[in-house]
Amino acid sequence: MGKRKVGALEKVEADLPNLQNKIRRDPESYREEFLLQFRHYESQRDIFMLSPSSATTVGLIPLRELVDFLAHVVDCYPTLASTFPEDLTRLLTLHHAELEPELREKIVGSLVLLRKKEIIDSTILLQALFPILTTTPSKSLRALLFQKILSDLRSSNARTTNHRLNRTIQTVLFNLLTSDRSSAKGIWAVKLTRELWKRQIWTDSKAVEIMKEASLADNSKVAIGAVRFFLGGDREREDLDDESSGEDDGIDLGKLKHQSGVTKKTKKKAKALNKAVATVKKKERKKNQPHPLNFSAFHLLHDPQGLAESLFSKHLNKSSSRLNLEQKLLVLQLVSRLVGLHKLTIINLYSYFLKYLSPRQPSVTSFLASLAQASHSLVPPDVLEPLIQKIANEFVSEAAAAEVASAGLNAIREICARQPLAMNDTLLQDLVMYRKSKDKGTMMAAKGLLSLYREVGADMLKKRDRGKEATIDLKSGERKEKRFGEVEGGEIEGIELLEEWKAEEKRKREERGEIRGGIGTAEEEEDEDWGAWDVEDDDSDSSGGWIDVDSGDEIEISDDDDKPPTKRAKIGEDPSAKVGEKARDMSDMRKTSSLATTRILTPADLAKLQELRVQAKVDKLMSGSKKRQPKERDTDAPLTAADIESAAFLSAGKDKEARLAKAAAGREGREDFKSKKAKKQEEKKSSTTNKQKARKKNLLMTLGKAKGKQKRSLVEMKKVLSGHIDRQKRGGRRGNQG
C-alpha cells in the first residue's frame, strides 16, 4: 500500500527552503504554492493578533518560518503580498513585548531584508525600529535594533551622502532631546550620533547641535555622554582613520633614509632617523587633520560662548546639581577647553577654581590642568594673578612634598605659557630659585618655567638668569615687552626656505647656461608657467611660472617721509658699520616677505614648500648638537592631568630594587649586545674553527701544551717560526696556493 497523498503534500508544504529556491527560479510556475503559503501566514497572523499572550507556535509550519520564507520571495509577487511589510511593522510595533525572542528577531531581520530588496525605504524602516529602541525594556532587543539602525544608516551613506535621510533622523534625535530633557531616552541619540560621527558619516554642524542639546540635559547620563563626545569624539575618529588607512602623508621616506645613509650606517643613526620621521609625520598629520569637510566638533559650534556659559551655570555653579565630582571634572574640562580654544571670557569661571586649589583636594591635578586650559592671551592678568599666587603658596614651598611642588610649578608654567603677563617679577624670581633643588622633579619643573620666560619675558628675569640668546636679543631690541591683547601677525611657515631654494636653483641654471641674467625666452616662460600648476610634474622646476629678475634690474621705490629720524652717533662708534647692519637687517626682512607678497605660489611651489619643511624638521631633530632643543608648545592642544604630573614621578622616592625593576622592564624585547663578527658567525650554518674549539677545551687538556711552549729554546722557537712562514707561503699545510 502506498503513502497517503496528504502526507506527501504536507512534506512539500513544510519544505519551505526548497520551495523558496524553486520560486526564485520560476515565479509564475509556483504562483499557487506561494498563495497557499501566504494564506497560511495570514491565518497564523490573525490567530496571533486575536490573543498575543496565549498564542503558541504549535502548528504545521511556525509563524517565524513563514515570515522568513515570505521575506525572501515577496519581491517576486509585489502585487499579491503588498500588505506584508505593513503587517510586520504593525506586529512589531504593537506586540514587541509579547513576541517570543526568536520570532521578534526574525521580524526585525525580515524588515531589514525588505529594505535591502528596496521594497521599503530607510525612512519607513527607521520609523518602525527607532520608537521601539527607546521604549522596550529588553536589553537584547535594544542591542539588536541599535545595530540594525546603525548598519542601515551606514549602507545608505556608503556611496553618496543621503542628505534627506540624515536630516530626517537628525530632526528626530533633536526633538527627542528637546521634548523631555529629564528623560533617559536621549542616551540613544547620544550613542547613535557619536557612532556615526566616529565613522565620519555625520560630519556637519547639525550633529554637533544634537550633542550640544544633550550636554544641557537634566539627566546626568545623557549630559555626561555628550560631554565625553566633545572631549574624545575627534580622537576616536582619528584613531579609526589611522587604523583604516596607512598612508605616508606625502613624506618621501626613501629619500630621507638615503640622505642619512650617505655616512657610516649605525644602529644609533637608524634609530634616530626613524624617531625623527615618526615625530614629523605625527606633527604633520595633526596639523593637516581638519580638512574642509572634516572639522572638529569644537569648530562647528554656532555659539560656543553661550554653550560654555550654560554648562557652567547649570552643572558647575549651581548648588542643586546632581553631578558627582568625577562628572563635574568632565564638564569643567569641556568648559575650559571651549574657553581656551575660542578665547572666550567667563570671569566667574576663574573664581570657581579658588576653592579647589589645595594639595588635599581629590583630583587636584585635573583642576590645575583645567585652569591652565582655560587661560589664554585675552584673559585679564589681574584675574589670573591671584590664582597663580595661591598655587605658589599652597603647592610650591619648602614644607611641601616634592611631587606637590613639581605639580604646582608645572601648572604655573602652563598658565604662564598661555598668558605670560599673569606673573609678577618677585614671584617669578622666587620660583626660578627652585631650579637648585635637590629633587629632580622640582628642579626640572623650575627649569621649564625659567626656559619659558627666557622666550616670552626675559626682561622679568635677573641678568644672570636670562641666558645668552635672551640677553643678546634684549640688547639688540629684537625682543619687546608684550602688551595685553597684542596679536602677532602671521606668515607662511618656511617661506624663507622656498626662497633660498629658488635662488639656489636659479644660480645653478645660470652656471649651466640655461638662462642669461635671469631672463629666458617666451616659450620657456610659458612652459614653466603651465608646468608649475601641475604638482605631479617635475618639482625641480625652479621658476614656478615666474621670471626672476636680478637685483641690479629691480626698481626700488623708497619713501623718504616714512623714514624715522636718525639718532646722533656715540663717540667711538662707526656710523657706517651701524648703517650696514641696519641695511642687512632690512634686506633680510624684505627677503623673508618678498616671495609671499609679490608672487602667487603655484601648487608646485606649495608641494616643494612642504618637502622643505619636512626636511628642515628632520635635519633639526637629527642635528648632532648635544644641546637639547626646546619643546614646541601647542597652546590649542588639550591639557590633561598627566601633563601636570609629568615630572612628579621623578620625585617619588624609590629604593634600589624598584629602580632595577624599572630598568629591567625597559629592556624587555631588546637584543643582547654582540659584535658584528659574532652575529655573522651565528648566521652561518657551518662548524666552528680550531681556535673556537680550543677556547672551549678543558683546562687540564691544555696544560701540557702550555708547559711545552715555556721549555722551548731559541733554536726551537726559530724552527717553529720558520716553519710557520714556509707554510704560509705554500698556502697552508695542504699547499692550497696556486
Side-chain angles (χ1 to χ4, degrees):
M1 183 177 176
K3 294 182 180 180
R4 292 186 305 112
K5 291 185 178 180
V6 176
L9 289 174
E10 288 177 355
K11 284 187 176 182
V12 172
E13 291 173 356
D15 192 9
L16 292 181
N18 188 20
L19 181 60
Q20 174 185 329
N21 186 25
K22 292 177 180 179
I23 291 176
R24 300 295 299 176
R25 291 182 179 180
D26 190 3
E28 293 299 328
S29 300
Y30 293 91
R31 186 185 183 91
E32 296 298 328
E33 286 79 357
F34 172 78
L35 288 174
L36 181 63
Q37 297 300 333
F38 189 72
R39 294 192 196 100
H40 193 185
Y41 153 74
E42 288 179 335
S43 63
Q44 292 272 19
R45 179 202 63 195
D46 294 339
I47 293 172
F48 180 84
M49 296 295 286
L50 289 174
S51 178
S53 58
S54 60
T56 60
T57 59
V58 178
L60 185 63
I61 303 175
L63 180 59
R64 63 175 179 274
E65 294 186 9
L66 286 169
V67 169
D68 185 35
F69 165 74
L70 293 176
H72 281 85
V73 299
V74 72
D75 56 325
C76 299
Y77 308 99
T79 56
L80 297 177
S82 58
T83 61
F84 180 67
E86 298 178 2
D87 294 341
L88 292 184
T89 304
R90 185 170 66 254
L91 189 66
L92 184 64
T93 304
L94 298 177
H95 305 289
H96 60 85
E98 293 87 1
L99 290 171
E100 62 174 358
E102 293 182 0
L103 178 58
R104 189 170 56 193
E105 183 178 349
K106 187 66 69 176
I107 292 175
V108 173
S110 299
L111 285 173
V112 174
L113 181 60
L114 293 177
R115 164 67 188 94
K116 291 180 179 179
K117 292 177 178 291
E118 297 183 354
I119 298 175
I120 60 175
D121 57 0
S122 294
T123 306
I124 297 175
L125 176 64
L126 296 177
Q127 286 177 353
L129 299 184
F130 191 76
I132 303 173
L133 174 67
T134 57
T135 56
T136 180
S138 174
K139 188 176 181 180
S140 59
L141 180 59
R142 290 198 302 265
L144 176 65
L145 293 177
F146 181 77
Q147 179 186 359
K148 297 299 182 183
I149 291 172
L150 183 63
S151 61
D152 182 69
L153 287 172
R154 289 180 60 187
S155 60
S156 300
N157 292 272
R159 295 182 180 178
T160 58
T161 304
N162 193 339
H163 294 286
R164 183 178 180 182
L165 177 64
N166 292 341
R167 283 196 301 269
T168 303
I169 301 302
Q170 287 170 352
T171 305
V172 171
L173 299 181
F174 189 85
N175 295 334
L176 178 67
L177 289 167
T178 54
S179 59
D180 187 5
R181 292 188 178 275
S182 60
S183 175
K185 295 179 181 179
I187 193 65
W188 293 107
V190 173
K191 288 184 176 180
L192 196 60
T193 305
R194 185 170 184 173
E195 193 69 24
L196 293 172
W197 179 271
K198 183 176 73 173
R199 301 183 183 278
Q200 299 187 18
I201 298 173
W202 287 358
T203 57
D204 54 351
S205 60
K206 192 68 179 292
V208 179
E209 287 298 314
I210 293 173
M211 303 307 284
K212 174 187 172 182
E213 293 296 329
S215 64
L216 298 174
D218 296 332
N219 188 281
S220 59
K221 288 186 177 180
V222 179
I224 296 304
V227 169
R228 291 183 186 275
F229 163 77
F230 281 107
L231 294 176
D234 296 328
R235 186 166 58 251
E236 290 177 355
R237 185 169 62 177
E238 291 172 4
D239 295 341
L240 187 65
D241 191 27
D242 291 342
E243 292 176 4
S244 59
S245 63
E247 299 176 355
D248 292 339
D249 297 333
I251 298 176
D252 191 0
L253 300 182
K255 186 176 181 180
L256 296 178
K257 290 179 180 179
H258 172 72
Q259 291 175 355
S260 66
V262 173
T263 57
K264 184 179 179 181
K265 298 179 182 178
T266 60
K267 273 192 172 182
K268 185 176 180 181
K269 287 186 178 181
K271 188 176 180 181
L273 173 68
N274 294 335
K275 188 176 180 181
V277 172
T279 305
V280 172
K281 285 176 64 178
K282 187 176 180 180
K283 288 182 180 179
E284 293 298 325
R285 185 166 59 245
K286 284 184 178 179
K287 184 183 295 184
N288 299 326
Q289 187 65 25
H291 54 79
L293 298 178
N294 191 13
F295 287 106
S296 171
F298 290 105
H299 297 287
L300 293 174
L301 286 168
H302 290 311
D303 185 15
Q305 177 76 33
L307 176 61
E309 290 178 352
S310 301
L311 287 172
F312 178 69
S313 60
K314 186 169 187 176
H315 297 307
L316 298 177
N317 207 20
K318 195 175 181 180
S319 58
S320 60
S321 178
R322 299 179 181 179
L323 304 181
N324 55 30
L325 180 63
E326 183 180 357
Q327 293 172 341
K328 283 186 176 181
L329 273 173
L330 291 174
V331 178
L332 185 61
Q333 289 176 13
L334 175 57
V335 173
S336 62
R337 185 92 173 90
L338 287 170
V339 170
L341 185 63
H342 294 281
K343 292 185 172 25
L344 310 178
T345 303
I346 305 178
I347 301 300
N348 297 336
L349 175 64
Y350 303 99
S351 59
Y352 174 80
F353 283 102
L354 281 171
K355 58 182 177 181
Y356 296 106
L357 298 181
S358 173
R360 294 175 295 276
Q361 170 68 38
S363 304
V364 66
T365 52
S366 298
F367 284 102
L368 292 173
S370 300
L371 173 59
Q373 207 167 219
S375 305
H376 54 84
S377 59
L378 299 181
V379 178
D382 298 339
V383 176
L384 292 176
E385 191 171 352
L387 295 169
I388 293 178
Q389 189 68 47
K390 184 169 184 181
I391 294 174
N393 295 337
E394 294 282 344
F395 290 82
V396 188
S397 64
E398 295 293 340
E403 300 91 338
V404 176
S406 62
L409 286 169
N410 282 337
I412 293 174
R413 186 195 69 219
E414 294 295 339
I415 295 172
C416 294
R418 292 159 173 79
Q419 178 52 287
L421 301 177
M423 178 70 70
N424 56 61
D425 303 353
T426 307
L427 180 59
L428 177 61
Q429 292 168 9
D430 291 342
L431 295 177
V432 164
M433 291 298 293
Y434 281 90
R435 74 184 187 278
K436 298 180 182 179
S437 174
K438 294 182 180 179
D439 180 72
K440 191 173 183 181
T442 306
M443 178 262 295
M444 290 181 64
K447 284 186 175 181
L449 182 63
L450 175 62
S451 62
L452 169 68
Y453 270 91
R454 282 178 176 174
E455 298 175 7
V456 299
D459 54 332
M460 299 174 64
L461 297 168
K462 292 183 179 179
K463 289 185 178 181
R464 66 171 182 266
D465 298 332
R466 291 175 181 174
K468 182 179 178 181
E469 295 181 2
T471 304
I472 294 173
D473 292 342
L474 284 174
K475 286 184 178 180
S476 61
E478 292 184 8
R479 295 196 185 186
K480 297 180 181 179
E481 184 180 357
K482 193 174 182 181
R483 294 179 295 178
F484 174 67
E486 183 181 357
V487 180
E488 297 180 356
E491 60 180 8
I492 301 176
E493 181 186 357
I495 190 67
E496 66 278 358
L497 299 175
L498 181 63
E499 191 164 6
E500 291 175 3
W501 178 80
K502 282 181 173 291
E504 183 65 22
E505 288 294 317
K506 176 187 172 184
R507 186 186 60 79
K508 290 180 180 178
R509 294 180 66 189
E510 286 180 354
E511 291 178 356
R512 293 195 298 264
E514 296 180 8
I515 56 176
R516 299 183 303 276
I519 302 176
T521 62
E523 294 180 358
E524 291 177 354
E525 295 170 14
E526 186 176 356
D527 293 341
E528 291 170 358
D529 188 22
W530 286 106
W533 288 96
D534 190 359
V535 184
E536 297 179 356
D537 285 351
D538 188 11
D539 287 338
S540 63
D541 225 0
S542 63
S543 66
W546 303 93
I547 302 174
D548 294 334
V549 183
D550 286 344
S551 59
D553 298 334
E554 290 180 356
I555 301 174
E556 297 183 0
I557 301 174
S558 62
D559 191 358
D560 295 338
D561 296 336
D562 295 338
K563 292 184 179 179
T566 57
K567 295 182 180 179
R568 185 175 298 176
K570 294 181 180 180
I571 300 173
E573 290 184 352
D574 188 4
S576 60
K578 198 167 185 180
V579 172
E581 291 178 2
K582 276 192 173 183
R584 281 195 297 271
D585 294 340
M586 293 300 292
S587 65
D588 290 340
M589 291 175 62
R590 284 197 302 268
K591 183 179 179 182
T592 304
S593 59
S594 63
L595 190 64
T597 56
T598 60
R599 300 186 181 185
I600 299 176
L601 297 181
T602 62
D605 292 338
L606 296 176
K608 189 63 182 179
L609 179 60
Q610 176 67 13
E611 181 183 350
L612 293 172
R613 283 178 190 163
V614 173
Q615 184 61 46
K617 290 179 181 178
V618 172
D619 292 342
K620 184 178 179 182
L621 292 172
M622 291 287 292
S623 60
S625 60
K626 300 266 180 103
K627 186 178 179 181
R628 181 175 293 180
Q629 299 290 340
K631 186 179 179 181
E632 296 181 3
R633 293 183 179 85
D634 186 8
T635 54
D636 291 337
L639 193 65
T640 60
D643 298 326
I644 302 297
E645 301 169 1
S646 57
F649 73 95
L650 298 172
S651 303
K654 295 180 181 178
D655 52 359
K656 187 176 180 181
E657 289 76 9
R659 292 197 299 271
L660 290 175
K662 185 178 179 181
R667 294 173 185 161
E668 292 180 357
R670 186 189 300 176
E671 298 180 359
D672 296 334
F673 176 76
K674 291 180 181 179
S675 63
K676 291 183 179 180
K677 188 175 181 180
K679 291 179 180 179
K680 288 182 180 179
Q681 191 64 33
E682 286 183 355
E683 294 175 359
K684 289 182 179 180
K685 296 181 180 179
S686 58
S687 60
T688 56
T689 61
N690 291 334
K691 187 180 286 187
Q692 291 173 343
K693 291 175 181 176
R695 290 199 194 104
K696 297 181 180 180
K697 272 189 178 181
N698 192 0
L699 179 63
L700 296 176
M701 297 175 65
T702 59
L703 287 177
K705 189 174 182 181
K707 288 180 181 179
K709 287 183 178 181
Q710 291 176 359
K711 294 178 182 179
R712 286 177 184 171
S713 63
L714 293 175
V715 178
E716 292 175 347
M717 187 70 70
K718 182 181 178 182
K719 289 181 180 180
V720 172
L721 294 176
S722 300
H724 177 70
I725 293 171
D726 293 339
R727 283 195 301 274
Q728 292 294 108
K729 290 180 179 179
R730 293 197 308 268
R733 293 182 182 273
R734 298 180 180 179
N736 295 327
Q737 187 176 1

